[in-house]
Structure formats: structure tokens, C-alpha cells
Amino acid sequence: LKHNLIENIEMYGIDNDENLIKQAKSLLPSGTFRVMDIKSQDFIDLNETFDIVIAINSIHEVFSQFLLSGNSYEEAKSRTKLIYNKMASLLSNDGSILVHDGVEIDITEPNSFIKFEILSENLRQLIGKFVDEYLPIKIKLQTFNDGTYSLESREFLRFLNTFRFIKGEAWDIERAQSYAYFTAEEFEDLFTTNGLICDCLSLSNNDYGLWDQCLRIIEPVIDFPKKTVLIIGTKTYLSPIKNPEEVL
């Protein structure tokens, strides 16, 4: 990337990790990089305009921090939406937002449950560790005499997203992460509300093979959910400007 940048492109980046900012500065000395928490007043007060805003696998960490701070699931979602509102307010006319992140399971009924079988003996021995140590939301596992299990659909998705890490060093980080927060429809509605034309919305799951090898969904008769979303939205000069009081 640093060898192929067009000279007239100005790069601006923020992260709350000072070491990552140092790495960015060493890779792209011509860029502007600041240590900044996206939840802070500094971000709220940021008075810049950009042609493109990119957030890759990052906003779910903000959502997770809201949950860990004692916010309910819905409160954390509402506060995360305000972050997106601020991001949209930073766009120039015809500017675009590109987001790649986790996507919440799309269910027709709230608090629906998924009954499943664990095909891996090793994973059966680890599910208790997931229940006991996963932090963002309370996990309530039901076990049945036939050796099957049941989780609320959102809890099931979080088990799918994290079980590969339970035995490894990354578990200390991943057990505090809720990779999913908005459904695909909520992402699209959020972009539209901010006056963005949705140019792309693509769902994918690069862990399908692993999930299919380790688990089997019994009820309801559904396929494994999608894991990630790529969404791109563009602001036009006709897009409504949000009142600053509605931003953050």
C-alpha cells in the first residue's frame, strides 16, 4: 500500500492503541495518525471532512466495550448507532463509508432458541468454559438427556464466532468481544437514515466449513448464519444533514 499511494491522497487514521498509531506512522509517514478513542469527546469534536471513511473489523469492539461498561444490549446498539451517525457527518458530498464487520443473526422472533449437537468431543468439553467466561452477554445453556444443547440465537452466534479461540492465547481477548451487533437490515436502515445511498451490501461466512464440521443445527431447520457484512454507502449533495445534537 505505501508504495502505491497516489501522491494527492491524504491519509488520516485514529486508534486508541498508541503502538498501532506508531506502526501506522512508520508505514505511512505522510499520513496523519492520532491516538484517539472513538467514544471520546475528541472524536465528537472532530471537525474534518473526508472523501472516504473506512472501518474494518473495528466498530464491534466499540459495541463490546459498551456492553462491558454495563449497558444493555439495546443501549449498546443505540450508542453504537451514534458512532455511525458521527462517521456519516464527516463525509464530504459524494463521500463514502466502507464498513466490514460482524453481522447479527437475523431472526424473525426475539429470544428464539437454536437446538444443536456438538460433533467434536473436544468442543463438548469446552462449551462450559465458553458459558462461564464469555463476558459481553450472559450465556444460558440448556442441556438435554440426548446430549444436545440449546442457546438463544444471539448466544449461539457468539459461540460460533468464538469457540475456535477457547483453547488458545487469544481467548483472553475474544471472550470480551461481541463480533455481531447489527443485522444486515439494521446496517442498511442506518445508512439510509444518515442520507447514504447503499452501493453494496454483501454477507459472507468464511468459517462455514469449520462450523459444519463441529456442529449440527437440529431445530429450527436453518442453515448456519452469515458471519460478516461488507457495506458501502455514498453521500450525495441531496443527502440530509443531521442536526449535530442527533450525532453524539
Side-chain angles (χ1 to χ4, degrees):
L1 174 63
K2 69 175 181 178
H3 298 299
N4 294 288
L5 282 174
I6 302 173
E7 291 183 359
N8 62 353
I9 290 181
E10 297 180 16
M11 302 287 292
Y12 188 105
I14 64 172
D15 198 287
N16 63 355
D17 189 320
E18 185 176 355
N19 290 327
L20 291 180
I21 292 298
K22 289 180 180 179
Q23 292 178 36
K25 288 180 177 178
S26 67
L27 289 170
L28 294 169
S30 62
T32 300
F33 300 99
R34 296 175 59 186
V35 177
M36 184 185 297
D37 188 338
I38 200 171
K39 306 187 304 301
S40 70
Q41 189 67 38
D42 287 340
F43 182 69
I44 296 172
D45 294 338
L46 190 61
N47 186 22
E48 303 276 355
T49 56
F50 301 96
D51 296 318
I52 183 167
V53 174
I54 301 174
I56 305 294
N57 291 338
S58 55
I59 306 301
H60 76 269
E61 296 187 7
V62 177
F63 174 75
S64 301
Q65 290 168 19
F66 286 145
L67 288 176
L68 295 174
S69 298
N71 292 275
S72 70
Y73 178 80
E74 292 301 327
E75 288 171 342
K77 284 176 62 175
S78 295
R79 296 187 67 180
T80 304
K81 287 179 181 178
L82 298 178
I83 298 294
Y84 276 97
N85 292 349
K86 175 61 180 181
M87 289 165 57
S89 75
L90 298 174
L91 289 177
S92 60
N93 286 335
D94 295 322
S96 297
I97 291 180
L98 184 154
V99 174
H100 183 275
D101 218 334
V103 62
E104 184 64 275
I105 188 168
D106 196 356
I107 53 177
T108 55
E109 297 180 8
N111 303 317
S112 63
F113 285 80
I114 294 178
K115 187 176 183 180
F116 60 98
E117 177 185 7
I118 297 179
L119 305 178
S120 164
E121 178 61 32
N122 288 336
L123 188 56
R124 279 196 292 271
Q125 295 176 4
L126 292 174
I127 192 169
K129 184 177 177 69
F130 167 76
V131 172
D132 293 338
E133 297 184 6
Y134 186 73
L135 296 175
I137 62 175
K138 178 71 174 177
I139 305 297
K140 299 178 181 178
L141 178 71
Q142 297 183 56
T143 60
F144 299 95
N145 292 333
D146 60 0
T148 60
Y149 306 87
S150 178
L151 285 170
E152 192 270 330
S153 57
R154 290 189 299 221
E155 298 171 2
F156 179 69
L157 178 60
R158 281 141 184 84
F159 178 57
L160 292 177
N161 283 338
T162 60
F163 75 74
R164 65 157 63 200
F165 302 107
I166 295 176
K167 291 184 67 175
E169 295 180 358
W171 177 239
D172 282 341
I173 296 174
E174 296 300 327
R175 72 191 187 103
Q177 299 292 319
S178 176
Y179 190 52
Y181 50 101
F182 296 151
T183 65
E185 182 178 358
E186 287 173 328
F187 269 111
E188 189 169 16
D189 288 346
L190 180 59
F191 274 47
T192 301
T193 300
N194 278 284
L196 304 176
I197 298 173
C198 190
D199 301 311
C200 168
L201 195 159
S202 176
L203 304 178
S204 61
N205 184 348
N206 59 354
D207 281 339
Y208 183 92
L210 174 66
W211 295 356
D212 190 53
Q213 181 182 0
C214 295
L215 299 106
R216 180 174 68 90
I217 297 177
I218 300 173
E219 295 177 0
V221 181
I222 57 173
D223 202 353
F224 286 109
K226 298 298 184 181
K227 179 180 179 180
T228 59
V229 60
L230 171 65
I231 182 168
I232 302 173
T234 300
K235 175 182 175 182
T236 72
Y237 70 95
L238 295 176
S239 299
I241 304 298
K242 295 186 76 69
N243 187 315
E245 294 181 357
E246 298 176 1
V247 175
L248 281 178

